[in-house]
Amino acid sequence: MNSKKTLKVVLLCLCVVCGLTACELEYTPPDGGASLGDNDDSTIIGDENGRVVSVIDGDTIDVEIDGTVYRVRYVGVNTPERSESCYSEARRANIDLVEGQTVTLVRDRSATDRYDRLLRYVYVGNTFVNAELIRNGYAEVVLYQPDDAQFDFFVDLERDAADANAGCHASGIFDDGTYER
């Protein structure tokens, strides 16, 4: 089995395990890694480690990797913007999870977005930050194709958070009826 197929199997297994356990995602980074800023979607997906130097908002951080600071946008989630209800709460939730922490950044398919931000799943130790923001109601699920490896898992988390009226769900900010942007 080639590395790309192995990664797909691993990601699928993670989704199944997380969906069944509904608890904090255990993560062990794979060996190897893709180069930063590589936009070739056929590149084997790897990970980077860095230190969070700034929390921009609920779904964006600045991370220092090998002396260079990169802006990182969380894959699969969206949080309220500065002018919207629950912005401060979502940003605070992100700060509480990542500020000053060493993070592992894992790429889905796309390396960067149209603003040249790295697109990544973010982990602090064994905590899957993207998932925790959704689980606690501070982020909604958003699907930006082709980055969909965690989509179904995230939808389940959001459904539970909405049912519990957790975090920002009480404000109604996430009630637009769609996952796609």
Side-chain angles (χ1 to χ4, degrees):
M1 189 179 296
N2 69 32
S3 296
K4 197 169 191 177
K5 285 183 181 176
T6 301
L7 181 60
K8 286 181 181 180
V9 169
V10 168
L11 287 174
L12 178 61
C13 290
L14 283 173
C15 288
V16 170
V17 168
C18 291
L20 292 175
T21 60
C23 62
E24 193 171 81
L25 178 66
E26 184 80 17
Y27 170 70
T28 304
D31 293 328
S35 62
L36 295 174
D38 182 356
N39 282 310
D40 178 5
D41 287 343
S42 66
T43 302
I44 295 172
I45 301 166
D47 60 85
E48 305 96 26
N49 294 302
R51 185 180 57 81
V52 175
V53 296
S54 181
V55 175
I56 307 306
D57 57 26
D59 55 32
T60 309
I61 56 178
D62 286 340
V63 178
E64 182 179 353
I65 303 170
D66 296 328
T68 302
V69 175
Y70 297 90
R71 178 116 333 148
V72 178
R73 174 65 166 80
Y74 297 173
V75 174
V77 304
N78 186 51
T79 61
E81 301 302 324
R82 185 177 304 272
S83 62
E84 296 177 324
S85 166
C86 208
Y87 166 83
S88 296
E89 294 87 341
R91 183 172 183 272
R92 170 52 52 199
N94 195 22
I95 288 169
D96 291 345
L97 287 165
V98 303
E99 187 173 56
Q101 299 292 317
T102 296
V103 294
T104 299
L105 306 174
V106 178
R107 188 175 140 189
D108 191 320
R109 298 214 38 192
S110 304
T112 58
D113 66 7
R114 63 184 175 188
Y115 304 108
D116 292 324
R117 299 176 295 190
L118 300 180
L119 295 172
R120 300 295 189 269
Y121 297 112
V122 178
Y123 297 83
V124 174
N126 292 328
T127 300
F128 187 3
V129 175
N130 309 48
E132 287 303 300
L133 289 168
I134 297 168
R135 179 188 325 276
N136 293 313
Y138 294 107
E140 66 179 332
V141 179
V142 64
L143 179 60
Y144 293 104
Q145 290 288 0
D147 301 302
D148 61 2
Q150 298 290 338
F151 178 72
D152 292 332
F153 172 55
F154 287 174
V155 167
D156 289 341
L157 291 176
E158 182 174 7
R159 189 173 301 120
D160 291 344
D163 288 348
N165 214 23
C168 296
H169 287 282
S171 73
I173 189 76
F174 298 143
D175 294 339
D176 66 358
T178 183
Y179 294 116
E180 296 202 31
R181 300 286 187 269

